[in-house]
Amino acid sequence: MAEPRWLRTFDPRPEATAQLVCFPYAGGSASAFRSWSQLLPSSVELVAVQYPGRQDRLTDPMPTALAALADEIAESLAGRLHRPTAFFGHSMGATVAFETARRLRPRYPSPLTRLFVSASRAPFARRPVGQDTLGDDDLRAYVRSLDKADVAVLDDEEVWRLVLPTLRLDFDLIQTYEYVPGAPLACPVTAIAGDRDETATPTEAARWAELTVGPFETRVLPGGHFYFDDTLPELARVLGDWETGLERAHC
């Protein structure tokens, strides 16, 4: 079945009245969100997307286009949209979450009550640059420049060689992505940026406002591209506020 392949719930909360679906960054996996649910209200169940090509899906092929990836995720979520749902996507995951949200647009009423986009430029501000051409050392240096606290993967040569193919597939996916204009979302959108993130500044994050006719806000947290390494409790409060004051606007 599609659901076990694509979705992971590390802290099942069958009585929760809402769910937060989290989309990983390039090279990331569902397990990146394993501890997050402990910081969320008990009324929210966290569901993490597991992309192909990593961990327990190591042999599953990654789609060659981001649109195809969003198609499959939207299909896998179809049976889980029985309660109010928010999406959270970080970096590449923000674009994947947005494209998945667009595919829920024909559903009425849609259960999607908010889209959180983190550390990402608006999709229309991206320009496809073709497949990744960085050498291994240059790619490692770029990832290190993103200010992620956990650098064990970068410093351990054996682990780095293991994750490198997946990271390249993800980079190819986002670098070949081309935004296709369409109807805007109608749900609220919250864009979150680190105040020291040079890859997606707060000013650039604010352009997500152009992609919804619903309410929009920008939240700026201290840190770089992976600001939540140091400010996860603060981010969890932002995410928890969504459920506490759940709007009735829908995508």
Side-chain angles (χ1 to χ4, degrees):
M1 295 177 61
E3 185 172 288
R5 290 176 56 233
W6 285 93
L7 306 173
R8 303 289 179 270
T9 306
F10 301 111
D11 180 17
R13 297 178 178 179
E15 303 303 318
T17 56
Q19 66 179 345
L20 176 68
V21 181
C22 295
F23 295 71
Y25 45 86
S29 62
S31 62
F33 304 103
R34 181 182 293 274
S35 65
W36 289 33
S37 62
Q38 301 304 314
L39 299 174
L40 295 174
S42 60
S43 54
V44 178
E45 183 177 66
L46 188 149
V47 179
V49 175
Q50 184 75 303
Y51 302 144
R54 62 214 73 203
Q55 295 183 331
D56 54 350
R57 299 195 63 191
L58 191 61
T59 60
D60 291 349
M62 187 71 160
T64 57
L66 194 143
L69 178 64
D71 286 340
E72 295 204 47
I73 296 172
E75 182 179 353
S76 74
L77 284 168
R80 296 203 50 137
L81 300 177
H82 56 281
R83 54 188 168 176
T85 300
F87 286 173
F88 172 87
H90 182 76
S91 196
M92 180 187 89
T95 303
V96 181
F98 167 72
E99 287 292 345
T100 303
R102 296 177 94 184
R103 283 150 177 78
L104 300 182
R105 185 79 166 84
R107 289 175 55 93
Y108 183 82
S110 169
L112 195 63
T113 55
R114 184 169 289 270
L115 172 65
F116 293 97
V117 289
S118 170
S120 176
R121 298 178 182 179
F124 60 81
R126 292 183 173 276
R127 295 292 180 268
V129 295
Q131 291 190 323
D132 175 37
T133 57
L134 288 176
D136 291 355
D137 291 341
D138 290 336
L139 181 58
R140 191 189 315 214
Y142 173 74
V143 174
R144 193 182 298 277
S145 75
L146 296 179
D147 193 30
K148 184 163 176 59
D150 180 9
V151 296
V153 170
L154 302 176
D155 293 337
D156 187 312
E157 189 66 28
E158 184 176 348
V159 176
W160 169 248
R161 291 296 168 186
L162 185 64
V163 303
L164 182 59
T166 298
L167 186 60
R168 284 204 177 280
L169 285 173
D170 289 356
F171 267 58
D172 285 345
L173 208 65
I174 195 64
Q175 290 187 351
T176 57
Y177 167 76
E178 185 171 3
Y179 170 73
V180 177
L185 301 178
C187 65
V189 174
T190 298
I192 309 169
D195 62 2
R196 300 194 309 273
D197 187 358
E198 297 180 359
T199 67
T201 66
T203 298
E204 290 168 327
R207 297 197 66 188
W208 281 91
E210 300 174 42
L211 293 171
T212 183
V213 294
F216 176 82
E217 64 174 345
T218 303
R219 297 287 191 97
V220 181
L221 298 180
H225 192 68
F226 287 95
Y227 61 86
F228 51 74
D229 281 337
D230 299 316
T231 60
L232 184 55
E234 190 172 350
L235 173 61
R237 284 193 291 272
V238 173
L239 301 177
D241 286 347
W242 150 74
E243 196 276 337
T244 302
L246 195 59
E247 295 91 350
R248 296 306 173 186
H250 300 286
C251 284

